[in-house]
Amino acid sequence: MASTLDFYFEFSSPYGYMAATQIEELAAETGLILNWHPILLGPMFKVMNSAPLTQIPLKGDYAVRDFKRSAMLAGIPYNQPATFPIATVAAARASLYALEHHRDAAGRLIKALYAAYFADGRPIDQADTVLDIAAEQGLDRAEFEAGIGSEPVKAGLKKEVEDAMARGVFGSPFMLVGDEPFWGFDRFDHIRKWVARR
Amino acid sequence: MASTLDFYFEFSSPYGYMAATQIEELAAETGLILNWHPILLGPMFKVMNSAPLTQIPLKGDYAVRDFKRSAMLAGIPYNQPATFPIATVAAARASLYALEHHRDAAGRLIKALYAAYFADGRPIDQADTVLDIAAEQGLDRAEFEAGIGSEPVKAGLKKEVEDAMARGVFGSPFMLVGDEPFWGFDRFDHIRKWVARR
């Protein structure tokens, strides 16, 4: 039986964006079944008494440099957003709605939302922008507007974050291969080696 | 003119240990001139209001797992030390003394100190253990005992840490290729690609 590749990501995460552009290829290559899990890092950072990388003294400047260089070396378009980090509740809820009601379009929508922010500088913290992007992907704007405001989707995202923390997820991107945890875009190669060894 | 590869490392750092086992190979492969820089992370963590990885909630358990797995996948012997992290002033001073007075033996001594702690579980926080390891490498125990207690070496290590922070170093391993900063054993591949692009 094929193992699962649970992919946890936050829309404000540069390495999450980079990982999202290659996660389907990684799943195909390793024969793992991919599950997308939009999450929010805010509640996790509270538990860790942590902060976004760019706000940490010394680490902050390096972090932005490493975002740009990592993207460049991987051939991924990247422009450090002027406003960073941002609130990502609307984008995460739209992704969750798509995963539940338009599964075939969900990966495409998630990648479009990420690229809108990290390549094109669009304000995906705004629900309007998120809905525009859904419409650009051929999805129904009004349906998504109702979807991201609905109680089941709100509760569903809260549950995703709680479930993720219960499984030990504390960052983005975070991948669980079965129960084996991998944190970071720079662990894709470890996942390949790990799967190949079994 | 060949660029320099300044390699900053702290003896309590698992990824610093792993990097030390391969840094000479990386330098040879890329044509960079290697300079070893023993440092202490304590003063840097104070500035960042940070703590050793293993002491951070959620991250701690993952960190130990990733130490072991990273070493295993890279073919490096590794046993998580029972006492971790440890004070590494004696090991850093011995390394600095070797770099200044026995340059040909310095890389060998540094790797032996790291392996003693991370593969064999020896207490390199003890000056006696550090001196034993120097002797095992064919160095003069009494000379090193005087060396690590000498004012120039004490002041020299303090200066290494200050110089490192002035250059933006905040972790271990930390590599500067010329002035381009790379943080982490998992950035060796970025260094290869970075050098190849120039």
Side-chain angles (χ1 to χ4, degrees), chain A residues 39-48 161 164-165 169-171, chain B residues 58:
Chain A
I39 55 166
L40 304 174
L41 286 185
M44 297 177 185
F45 282 174
K46 269 187 199 152
V47 173
M48 291 188 289
V161 174
M165 289 179 75
V169 173
F170 57 80
Chain B
L58 295 179

Side-chain angles (χ1 to χ4, degrees), chain A residues 62 65 69 180-181 187, chain B residues 65-66 69 180-181 183 187:
Chain A
Y62 175 82
R65 191 167 187 151
R69 189 176 58 204
E180 184 75 15
R187 289 297 180 271
Chain B
R65 191 167 186 150
D66 194 67
R69 189 176 57 204
E180 183 75 13
W183 174 37
R187 289 296 180 272

Side-chain angles (χ1 to χ4, degrees), chain B:
Chain B
M1 198 184 81
S3 287
T4 47
L5 172 59
D6 286 296
F7 174 58
Y8 295 87
F9 59 97
E10 139 81 53
F11 277 105
S12 250
S13 160
Y15 302 119
Y17 158 57
M18 296 175 214
T21 67
Q22 301 186 356
I23 194 76
E24 288 160 314
E25 190 184 329
L26 179 67
E29 202 183 312
T30 51
L32 297 168
I33 296 164
L34 174 62
N35 297 314
W36 301 84
H37 297 279
I39 54 166
L40 304 174
L41 286 186
M44 298 177 183
F45 283 174
K46 270 187 198 152
V47 173
M48 291 187 289
N49 193 24
S50 186
L53 268 179
T54 51
Q55 295 172 9
I56 299 172
L58 295 179
K59 260 186 207 177
D61 292 342
Y62 174 81
V64 173
R65 191 167 186 150
D66 194 67
F67 299 158
K68 294 177 185 172
R69 189 176 57 204
S70 295
M72 191 253 308
L73 294 175
I76 300 166
Y78 187 85
N79 294 296
Q80 180 62 29
T83 306
F84 177 88
I86 53 169
T88 55
V89 177
R93 285 184 187 159
S95 303
L96 202 58
Y97 183 80
L99 285 161
E100 284 170 6
H101 299 278
H102 298 275
R103 190 149 193 103
D104 290 352
R108 192 156 43 87
L109 175 62
I110 291 163
K111 289 184 286 181
L113 287 164
Y114 257 138
Y117 181 51
F118 284 111
D120 303 329
R122 293 171 68 182
I124 63 164
D125 54 330
Q126 311 290 321
D128 270 352
T129 307
V130 169
L131 297 173
D132 286 349
I133 293 164
E136 287 158 20
Q137 295 299 316
L139 297 161
D140 188 292
R141 198 180 201 284
E143 181 198 341
F144 268 73
E145 186 164 17
I148 65 175
S150 72
E151 282 312 315
V153 169
K154 288 183 185 177
L157 180 58
K158 214 178 150 203
K159 190 171 182 315
E160 278 281 1
V161 175
E162 287 165 0
D163 289 353
M165 289 179 75
R167 295 189 76 189
V169 173
F170 57 79
S172 167
F174 203 103
M175 288 72 64
L176 285 163
V177 177
D179 288 326
E180 183 75 13
F182 297 86
W183 174 37
F185 180 45
D186 49 23
R187 289 296 180 272
F188 271 32
D189 203 46
H190 284 196
I191 293 176
R192 286 187 194 98
K193 287 180 186 167
W194 176 261
V195 171
R197 287 174 62 95
R198 289 190 311 187

Side-chain angles (χ1 to χ4, degrees), chain A residues 38 93 96 100 150-163:
Chain A
R93 285 185 187 158
L96 202 58
E100 284 170 6
S150 72
E151 281 312 315
V153 169
K154 289 182 185 178
L157 181 58
K158 214 177 150 204
K159 190 172 182 316
E160 278 281 1
V161 174
E162 287 165 0
D163 289 353

Side-chain angles (χ1 to χ4, degrees), chain A residues 46-63:
Chain A
K46 269 187 199 152
V47 173
M48 291 188 289
N49 193 25
S50 186
L53 268 180
T54 51
Q55 295 173 10
I56 300 173
L58 296 179
K59 259 185 209 178
D61 292 343
Y62 175 82

